[in-house]
Amino acid sequence: MDAANDPVAALLEEARLRKTMPSPAERQRLREAAGLTRSQVATACQVGRQTIANWEEGKTTPQPPGATAYARLLDGLKELHPTPTETRPHPAAVDESTPQPEPVTTPAPPHAAAPSPTPTPNPTRPQRRARSSAQAQDASTGLIAAAVHEELEKAGGDVDAAQAALSKRAIDDVMTLWRDLRTTGRYEYTAYPALPDIFKKPSTKEPDQIWEARPGYRHPGYSLRAHGDILVTALDANAAYLSAMKCWLPIGKLEHSTGADGVDPKRSGVHLITPTPWNHPHLPNPLGDRDTEGPLWVTDATLRLLLRLSGPKYGLTERPTVHESWTSHATENFLDALRKALTAARATAIAADDTLTTEYVKAMYSKFISTMGESIHNREIKRPDWMHIIHSQAYANLWGKAYKAHQAGLEIVLMAGTDELHVTGDWRQVFTEGRGVTEMKIKYSDSKASGEYVVGKVTR
């Protein structure tokens, strides 16, 4: 029975290939000797180009699912391009009839103890963390590439059908990826703590009591209807929810406190506050599109933004009054491994002009966040407090971009949702243009206020 039909033989063959894996430098030599690019090897092994680069540079060790194909490729290349053997010069011919000088005998030095070997330094914590992160990103990129390849194959190359199938499996896949990345995690996220009534919806069509500070700002001094020639550019903040996964999340049962006792940099949750009026003539209200006054429940992300803006560095508003809080000990890195893995996979797909994988990654992180509250599509996690905080963090991040533009002399004409910012002036002097998570691009839509458009000033 051959290896294709014998699972034991197949495992043995895989083990043999992995054992004979060449050194990182030899991996690169074999690829270059065959005239192959890293992108070609990555496609054949169903991993990202950066993964191949990491394997060749010794930053990470080849891991499934791409490692077996990679080992098989290198095994074949070794036969085609064997390692050059070192050529040694032949000794000069010696005429035996010519008298040879007597060999000089050097007395042996007195016996000395062999020097102690130099111990290999232990990697520092940042080095271990960076290595672990790179390995996790390689593994996740491979899993994502394998899923895309599988659905494309099932769909017979029909990209639209494959994209629909990948969208359907995005929630299950991202939860599997998160479990894999949390193999050493200490907090059991499936142990749902009881939440206060403020998180309960009165009905399926009504929201709970948490205000996420979603923006809906339009500058009253500008209008498409007004006559004028002021050029405005609609900008799009890339992967806003993906970036917002870097936020302070409570990792235990929320505990109640009164006054400002629950306001702590190392705690997170929600707070009942009374904000002060916002009167800035050129910047959106950081509390978003709110048309009522009085106390309201806000997330930790919103409160942190308000406290920064009321501090001495900004001085844009007065400190809000905190009446009560529901908080727990928190961490800013709880979703960091998943965020970095999806960010790396997204960057690899964009660099390869792979729209299918880019949309699949987008479906993974957007559905992960939208279903973590309370959804029939994701029974594995039920944390509406996390969902509200991540949403609010995305809005806070966008407000930060608006402030940066304002400081550079640009006028904010519109700010909406998690990613839409319309400004006057030369925005490229403020933001880097591109599709990376820290970059901005021009936003096009069917709206008249799309791409680059002209407005006039409103006369009163």
Side-chain angles (χ1 to χ4, degrees), residues 2-53:
D2 60 13
N5 300 314
D6 184 354
V8 173
L11 285 175
L12 288 172
E13 175 64 10
E14 180 177 340
R16 183 190 68 79
L17 289 169
R18 298 289 297 276
K19 185 176 181 180
T20 58
M21 179 76 71
S23 67
E26 179 65 3
R27 298 167 199 167
Q28 181 171 344
R29 186 196 71 80
L30 288 170
R31 176 182 60 77
E32 292 175 346
L36 300 174
T37 65
R38 284 175 173 169
S39 296
Q40 288 175 306
V41 175
T43 301
C45 299
Q46 298 180 29
V47 297
R49 180 190 174 282
Q50 186 58 46
T51 298
I52 299 299

Side-chain angles (χ1 to χ4, degrees), residues 68 85 87 142 159 266 304 360 373 418:
T68 302
T85 55
T87 57
V159 174
K266 297 296 184 181
R304 286 176 188 261
Y360 172 47
T418 60

Side-chain angles (χ1 to χ4, degrees), residues 279-295:
N279 299 312
H280 200 288
H282 300 289
L283 283 170
N285 189 334
L287 275 175
D289 186 22
R290 185 172 186 251
D291 54 8
T292 57
E293 296 182 357

Side-chain angles (χ1 to χ4, degrees), residues 63-397:
Q63 300 288 337
T68 302
Y70 186 55
R72 194 164 65 249
L73 172 66
L74 295 177
D75 197 49
L77 293 179
K78 280 192 289 187
E79 295 183 6
L80 296 172
H81 305 282
T83 305
T85 55
E86 184 180 359
T87 57
R88 299 176 182 275
H90 293 287
V94 177
D95 186 354
E96 294 182 358
S97 62
T98 305
Q100 301 298 317
E102 292 291 331
V104 178
T105 304
T106 304
H111 178 71
S116 300
T118 303
T120 303
N122 293 322
T124 63
R125 180 177 295 180
Q127 288 172 333
R128 293 197 303 271
R129 191 176 297 150
R131 186 183 305 165
S132 175
S133 175
Q135 289 174 343
Q137 289 177 28
D138 283 349
S140 57
T141 301
L143 290 171
I144 290 169
V148 172
H149 178 78
E150 178 186 343
E151 295 302 337
L152 262 178
E153 205 169 54
K154 286 181 182 177
D158 186 331
V159 174
D160 291 338
Q163 184 168 322
L166 287 167
S167 181
K168 286 182 180 179
R169 61 182 286 181
I171 296 174
D172 290 338
D173 288 354
V174 74
M175 293 305 295
T176 299
L177 179 58
W178 193 33
R179 283 194 300 270
D180 291 346
L181 292 170
R182 283 191 47 77
T183 51
T184 59
R186 293 177 294 174
Y187 176 63
E188 182 50 63
Y189 64 89
T190 57
Y192 312 129
L195 293 171
D197 290 342
I198 55 175
F199 288 100
K200 295 179 180 177
K201 297 180 179 180
S203 69
T204 55
K205 296 183 179 180
E206 295 180 272
D208 59 26
Q209 298 182 42
I210 311 303
W211 179 254
E212 295 180 343
R214 183 184 181 90
Y217 172 81
R218 291 181 183 274
H219 196 299
Y222 298 94
S223 173
L224 283 165
R225 296 189 180 93
H227 178 72
D229 57 357
I230 301 171
L231 183 66
V232 178
T233 306
L235 297 178
D236 184 5
N238 301 307
Y241 279 143
L242 183 57
S243 297
M245 288 166 65
K246 182 75 171 179
C247 62
W248 288 90
L249 294 178
I251 56 174
K253 182 179 179 180
L254 299 184
E255 300 169 341
H256 185 256
S257 59
T258 57
D261 291 349
V263 181
D264 186 314
K266 297 296 184 181
R267 296 181 71 85
S268 181
V270 293
H271 311 267
L272 180 63
I273 68 167
T274 296
T276 56
W278 181 262
N279 299 312
H280 200 288
H282 300 289
L283 283 170
N285 189 334
L287 275 175
D289 186 22
R290 185 172 186 251
D291 54 8
T292 57
E293 296 182 357
L296 73 164
W297 284 98
V298 299
T299 71
D300 181 77
T302 301
L303 181 60
R304 286 176 188 261
L305 175 60
L306 292 175
L307 293 177
R308 286 200 302 274
L309 300 185
S310 65
K313 180 178 179 180
Y314 295 91
L316 295 174
T317 185
E318 296 296 322
R319 188 181 178 92
T321 301
V322 180
H323 303 288
E324 56 179 301
S325 305
W326 285 93
T327 61
S328 170
H329 291 291
T331 176
E332 195 180 18
N333 300 317
F334 189 64
L335 301 177
D336 224 31
L338 179 62
R339 180 183 64 85
K340 289 179 179 178
L342 293 175
T343 299
R346 179 182 180 276
T348 299
I350 289 174
D353 200 21
D354 183 353
T355 304
L356 181 59
T357 302
T358 304
E359 291 301 313
Y360 172 47
V361 172
K362 181 178 180 180
M364 291 176 83
Y365 66 74
S366 60
K367 291 187 176 186
F368 174 73
I369 295 168
S370 65
T371 63
M372 68 166 51
E374 188 172 356
S375 171
I376 60 173
H377 302 292
N378 190 355
R379 302 290 192 186
E380 193 173 343
I381 184 171
K382 186 179 178 182
R383 291 301 301 254
D385 50 339
W386 293 355
M387 181 188 70
H388 285 309
I389 291 170
I390 295 171
H391 285 173
S392 297
Q393 186 64 56
Y395 305 141
N397 291 346

